[in-house]
Amino acid sequence: MSVLGPILALVVLVAIGAMMNSNFLGAANVTNVLARSAFIGIIAVGMTFVITAGGLDLSVGSMAAFIAGLMILVMNAALPSLGVGVPIILLGMLVAVVAGSLAGMLNGFLITTVGIEAFIVTLGTMGIYRSLVTWLADGGTLSLDFGLRTFYRPVYFEGILGISWPIIVFALVVLIGEVLMSRARFGRHCAAIGSSEAVAHYSNVDVNRTRLLTYAMLGLLVGIATIMYVPRLGSASASTGLLWELEAIAAVIIGGTVLKGGFGRVWGTVIGVLILSLIDNILNLTDLVSPYLNGAIQGVIIILAVILQREAKAKR
């Protein structure tokens, strides 16, 4: 896909939104769009590495739901001994990053060591994590203690100089991701594996280790995204993180990363995330289409992006 394609699409969307609603470019709406984009954006950065290395992960939305439920259970259980304060928040954050990393490593282990296809593994774990959070919630909703939720809310709603913490964390993840992808050996190894696993192996690239690390990184980033998400609502249920995997994959593909692997760009993924968020925001502000069709729109976008990638490759 052309480098300018996603950028032009983003500019056009901003222009359309500004023409259709006077509040579109207001500070409140822009901040809201960026903050809500942060969850998917953080996950999509990790997905960029997985897809660049020729992999795929369908479990990230269910994984986020499970991690959120686990965080809430642990924090509520520790409340009598730790009380409301920074230590219990740090405990919840530790649970999230450890659980996310382990979940990602499990996916990577089954794919690289056991030798099961990524699609099958992550399809299976998608169902497992979604069922586990449903079981933990007994079919309902897990809610953070009210005092804890009040204390934890600033992690989503506050920040520095008017920039909320989710936006700041997203920006840091993007910067680190871009350096790893474009300037570090790890990014080059991911691209080499995605282009040709056999050639990468003969070039002394540790294929299994690199692939395992991409899934572990993605799991870690799912945990970080969940840390930012939980204070927003203070709850978790079977519907938490629904279709997040679709949004993350769509953002990666729209941004120009090749679905079959071999080429990825983190900055393009950021543009893809913003495009999806702006489409959703424009539809909500104008009521042109039912919000229930957002998933269908994202699916169509993925298909169109892949078609454009294929046509661009054929012209080379």
Side-chain angles (χ1 to χ4, degrees):
M1 188 181 294
S2 170
V3 173
L4 292 177
I7 298 175
L8 290 174
L10 182 62
V11 171
V12 169
L13 279 174
V14 170
I16 291 173
M19 288 187 294
M20 297 188 72
N21 192 298
S22 58
N23 296 320
F24 181 76
L25 293 179
N29 187 58
V30 170
T31 300
N32 179 56
V33 169
L34 291 176
R36 291 171 68 92
S37 302
F39 312 127
I40 300 300
I42 292 169
I43 294 171
V45 170
M47 189 72 77
T48 304
F49 286 87
V50 169
I51 292 178
T52 299
L56 189 68
D57 195 333
L58 301 175
S59 69
V60 292
S62 301
M63 190 188 298
F66 172 66
I67 294 171
L70 196 60
M71 274 184 69
I72 290 169
L73 284 176
V74 170
M75 292 172 73
N76 284 343
L79 183 59
S81 57
L82 293 180
V84 176
V86 174
I88 198 168
I89 301 300
L90 293 177
L91 174 63
M93 292 179 175
L94 178 63
V95 168
V97 296
V98 170
S101 298
L102 290 176
M105 289 181 69
L106 174 62
N107 283 342
F109 172 78
L110 292 173
I111 292 164
T112 60
T113 304
V114 181
I116 307 173
E117 288 291 332
F119 177 84
I120 300 300
V121 169
T122 58
L123 184 65
T125 52
M126 177 177 70
I128 291 170
Y129 295 136
R130 188 71 65 186
S131 295
L132 282 174
V133 73
T134 305
W135 172 66
L136 291 174
D138 197 22
T141 301
L142 291 167
S143 297
L144 199 60
D145 175 84
F146 181 76
L148 271 177
R149 180 167 40 185
T150 302
F151 187 80
Y152 196 7
R153 278 174 61 86
V155 172
Y156 176 81
F157 291 98
E158 295 182 12
I160 301 174
L161 300 175
I163 304 173
S164 66
W165 287 114
I167 299 173
I168 294 171
V169 173
F170 179 30
L172 290 174
V173 168
V174 168
L175 287 174
I176 295 171
E178 180 61 31
V179 170
L180 285 175
M181 180 64 77
S182 61
R183 299 186 180 276
R185 183 182 301 176
F186 179 67
R188 293 194 295 272
H189 286 181
C190 289
I193 294 168
S195 295
S196 174
E197 185 174 325
V199 172
H201 178 75
Y202 288 121
S203 301
N204 292 323
V205 175
D206 192 331
V207 174
N208 284 347
R209 179 176 176 273
T210 303
R211 274 228 173 103
L212 178 63
L213 285 175
T214 62
Y215 284 98
M217 177 194 293
L218 177 54
L220 171 65
L221 291 177
V222 171
I224 292 173
T226 306
I227 289 171
M228 300 290 107
Y229 178 80
V230 168
R232 178 170 173 256
L233 299 176
S235 63
S237 67
S239 62
T240 299
L242 199 62
L243 296 181
W244 279 14
E245 58 280 338
L246 178 63
E247 293 182 54
I249 293 170
V252 172
I253 304 308
I254 291 169
T257 295
V258 178
L259 183 58
K260 292 184 178 181
F263 176 79
R265 52 192 187 202
V266 171
W267 67 265
T269 294
V270 176
I271 294 175
V273 170
L274 294 177
I275 287 173
L276 289 175
S277 297
L278 288 178
I279 290 173
D280 182 50
N281 186 243
I282 290 170
L283 293 178
N284 287 333
L285 289 176
T286 59
D287 293 324
L288 290 175
V289 180
S290 169
Y292 297 115
L293 291 175
N294 284 350
I297 292 171
Q298 290 164 6
V300 170
I301 290 172
I302 291 177
I303 294 170
L304 290 175
V306 172
I307 291 173
L308 289 173
Q309 281 188 359
R310 188 176 61 184
E311 290 183 353
K313 186 177 181 180
K315 291 178 180 178
R316 293 193 187 114

